[in-house]
Amino acid sequence: MPTSDIAPKDRLIVALDLGSVEAAEAMVARLGDSVTFYKIGYQLGYAGGLPLARELADNGKKVFLDLKLHDIGNTVARGVESIARLGVTFLTVHAYPQTMKAAAEARQGTALKLLAVTVLTSYDDGDLHAAGYRLGVSDLVEARARQAQALGIDGLVCSPEEAARLRKIVGHQMLLVTPGIRPAGAATGDQKRIMTPARAISAGADYLVVGRPVLEAADPEAAANGIVAEIAQALA
Ligand code: C5P
């Protein structure tokens, strides 16, 4: 099971995978109080989404900046310092030891929490081999999860299928954040390894990242409320 002291509503992170700040602002307004946590990734981040991240944080929302940083340590550290000043809650970095160490040191004394991406879920063993890696996906995920924990990273982004195994590896000291969530009956889109909100929570996920099932719903607020209800039921 997940870490316990988070309200069901605050465990839903809606991915603002939209092409403009105007579209994102309209969605946030439409979702109102039903959603407390938003993810901003490459698409919106590079389309003016960073001032929006600050604005959302200033307005009492939590923000997950999914920028997956990876560079030389000094550059990562300076980037993390700037991002911490935006007032966001979560930031992703790739799980390379130098990158994680630099990011963990740079965010000290701030409220920013760091999430490591172990191995991108679009990679299989063949992709890792082609990229020059010796380990397969399963072993590399485990090795990087352990390194992330040792370096003081707060959590991991993982598929819901990996959550139960990672929970055993890292215990309850780390947050597990899972995309690939589909409420029963929702279109799967390009996601292949999906779980319902309830099953992901039961597998040990702390936070669920959901994009299209909310953004593309006829009634996004009702869709968000439905997911939160399912989370609450799984935790009860
Ligand atoms: O629309 P959907 O619910 O599939 O969106 C999921 C979000 O989680 C997207 O922003 C996507 O980039 C992100 N994500 C993912 N799978 C990963 C990592 C991130 O779907 N392994």
Side-chain angles (χ1 to χ4, degrees):
M1 287 300 273
T3 315
S4 61
D5 59 344
I6 309 163
K9 191 173 165 181
D10 298 327
R11 293 176 184 271
L12 170 64
I13 302 178
V14 171
L16 287 172
D17 294 329
L18 297 163
S20 71
V21 170
E22 293 70 30
E25 284 175 336
M27 182 54 67
V28 169
R30 211 166 158 193
L31 289 167
D33 292 334
S34 65
V35 173
T36 62
F37 215 145
Y38 287 101
K39 179 169 94 75
I40 295 178
Y42 285 5
Q43 185 186 13
L44 184 60
Y46 293 130
L50 297 184
L52 176 65
R54 184 194 291 273
E55 191 186 308
L56 287 170
D58 287 349
N59 287 328
K61 300 295 184 189
K62 288 183 167 179
V63 179
F64 168 5
L65 267 190
D66 190 11
L67 297 181
K68 298 188 178 73
L69 300 192
H70 180 47
D71 206 312
I72 62 169
N74 181 63
T75 301
V76 169
R78 299 292 88 80
V80 168
E81 285 166 8
S82 295
I83 288 167
R85 284 196 288 273
L86 294 175
V88 303
T89 300
F90 288 163
L91 168 70
T92 40
V93 300
H94 281 286
Y96 288 80
Q98 276 191 16
T99 291
M100 294 192 288
K101 186 167 183 288
E105 282 169 10
R107 67 76 193 261
Q108 272 180 21
T110 76
L112 181 67
K113 287 192 185 333
L114 298 168
L115 305 177
V117 177
T118 55
V119 177
L120 292 169
T121 50
S122 57
Y123 276 55
D124 61 19
D125 290 350
D127 293 310
L128 284 180
H129 183 73
Y133 289 87
R134 189 169 41 82
L135 298 181
V137 171
S138 174
D139 289 341
L140 191 55
V141 165
E142 179 166 344
R144 288 181 165 177
R146 290 188 195 283
Q147 285 172 330
Q149 187 166 37
L151 289 168
I153 297 296
D154 303 283
L156 301 168
V157 179
C158 63
S159 75
E161 289 179 341
E162 286 170 337
R165 180 168 157 251
L166 284 174
R167 181 59 78 205
K168 282 196 193 118
I169 293 168
V170 302
H172 283 275
Q173 269 64 56
M174 292 186 94
L175 299 169
L176 298 182
V177 179
T178 61
I181 302 297
R182 289 293 177 270
T188 56
D190 58 358
Q191 297 280 15
K192 290 188 183 119
R193 291 174 289 156
I194 52 166
M195 269 193 198
T196 63
R199 282 194 55 214
I201 290 287
S202 301
D206 293 295
Y207 291 90
L208 310 184
V209 176
V210 185
R212 287 162 290 182
V214 170
L215 303 181
E216 294 175 2
D219 184 345
E221 192 178 356
N225 288 336
I227 294 167
V228 170
E230 218 186 301
I231 293 171
Q233 213 172 5
L235 288 167

